[in-house]
Amino acid sequence: MRYLVLTDIHANLEALEVCLDHARAQGYDRTLVLGDLVGYGPDPNEVIERIKALSPVAMIRGNHDKVACGLEQPEGFNAVARRAAIWTFEILTSAHRNWLAALPKGPAIVDEVIQICHGSPFDEDAYIFDELDAVRALKMSQRPLCLFGHTHYPVTFALTEGRVDTIGGPNSIDGPLMLMDHAKYLLNPGAVGQPRDGDPRAAYAIADTTAKRVDLFRLEYPFEATQAKLVKAGLPDVLAQRLAVGR
Ligand code: ZN
């Protein structure tokens, strides 16, 4: 089974479309969505429509999805994220707000090999940044491959014989991750719609459970179009600026 893995799309339609076109050429069977479909970006309704059309086999909510649909208040958000969340809440159709509110909380088991979560397998809102964070998550994960998002930072942690190692990181993806037997992995493919690792390209992955490999992709997309929409919507300038630098 080949899974298209999408996370942190953040209402960036241009980035999503480039990833979907590329993934179609690669070939995949099913789609997994790890949350934060909306928030920050200018096209929340359009992104939801695109994702619905993919009929994901597993999909969970992110922290921005909860706030954008009114399930939670943007209390922990900084001023820019809060502005964008309120704007998103107002522009979403009521049908899309209800659809977001019905998204399940992670983690979710996909099959014998894969589990998905937004932040971590023990707390949907927790961030996994380093090996210390990863240790607990790897022990808690119920499948050999746990896919996560939330940090907008592509990284893989591997647990082999009680030892945790970091694989990859920014700009160091050369070749697929091959899944070894008796190891556990925690993998963030990076954000589709708002990368923060200093590389502005959209990120996504294809996980192949038969071939036991995960391919990570970075793709250029016309972020100038997304920036123009953000400016037109009157959203904070920093949201447009960060797309050019991937921060
Ligand atoms: Zn996010």
Side-chain angles (χ1 to χ4, degrees), residues 7-10 35-40 62-64 118 127 149-152 191 194 196:
T7 188
D8 298 284
I9 302 159
H10 283 293
D36 277 2
L37 286 78
V38 303
Y40 296 128
N63 51 321
H64 285 261
H118 184 62
Y127 290 90
H150 199 32
T151 60
H152 300 205
Q194 197 196 75
R196 290 183 194 158

Side-chain angles (χ1 to χ4, degrees), residues 21-69:
D21 285 347
H22 187 265
R24 228 169 280 129
Q26 301 291 314
Y28 65 92
D29 306 302
R30 301 259 192 277
T31 303
L32 307 175
V33 180
L34 318 187
D36 277 2
L37 286 78
V38 303
Y40 296 128
D43 284 315
N45 288 306
E46 294 76 4
V47 162
I48 289 173
E49 284 304 321
R50 289 290 192 293
I51 294 298
K52 284 171 73 175
L54 297 171
S55 304
V57 68
M59 175 161 47
I60 49 174
R61 67 191 187 183
N63 51 321
H64 285 261
D65 302 322
K66 285 189 281 185
V67 172
C69 69

Side-chain angles (χ1 to χ4, degrees), residues 61-63 66 72 104-106 118-120 122-126 150:
R61 67 191 187 183
N63 51 321
K66 285 189 281 185
E72 278 185 8
K105 174 183 179 173
H118 184 62
S120 86
F122 54 86
D123 179 346
E124 61 176 342
D125 295 330
H150 199 32

Side-chain angles (χ1 to χ4, degrees), residues 141-215:
S141 86
Q142 295 171 285
R143 289 294 183 269
L145 177 60
C146 179
L147 303 168
F148 73 106
H150 199 32
T151 60
H152 300 205
Y153 199 93
V155 67
T156 302
F157 300 100
L159 177 69
T160 32
E161 290 164 9
R163 224 185 82 177
V164 174
D165 291 300
T166 307
I167 307 168
N171 310 318
S172 63
I173 300 160
D174 31 74
L177 171 76
M178 301 305 296
L179 304 173
M180 320 279 268
D181 293 337
H182 312 299
K184 280 174 97 175
Y185 298 90
L186 197 58
L187 184 148
N188 186 337
V192 171
Q194 197 196 75
R196 290 183 194 158
D197 60 339
D199 181 344
R201 293 176 298 169
Y204 84 97
I206 291 180
D208 188 325
T209 54
T210 312
K212 295 184 179 176
R213 61 185 275 170
V214 183
D215 287 278

Side-chain angles (χ1 to χ4, degrees), residues 86-121:
I86 293 165
W87 179 89
T88 303
F89 177 83
E90 285 168 355
I91 204 153
L92 279 172
T93 66
S94 61
H96 285 159
R97 252 184 251 148
N98 293 340
W99 183 85
L100 279 178
L103 284 179
K105 174 183 179 173
I109 300 288
V110 176
D111 62 13
E112 286 306 304
V113 180
I114 298 176
Q115 175 179 32
I116 61 171
C117 59
H118 184 62
S120 86

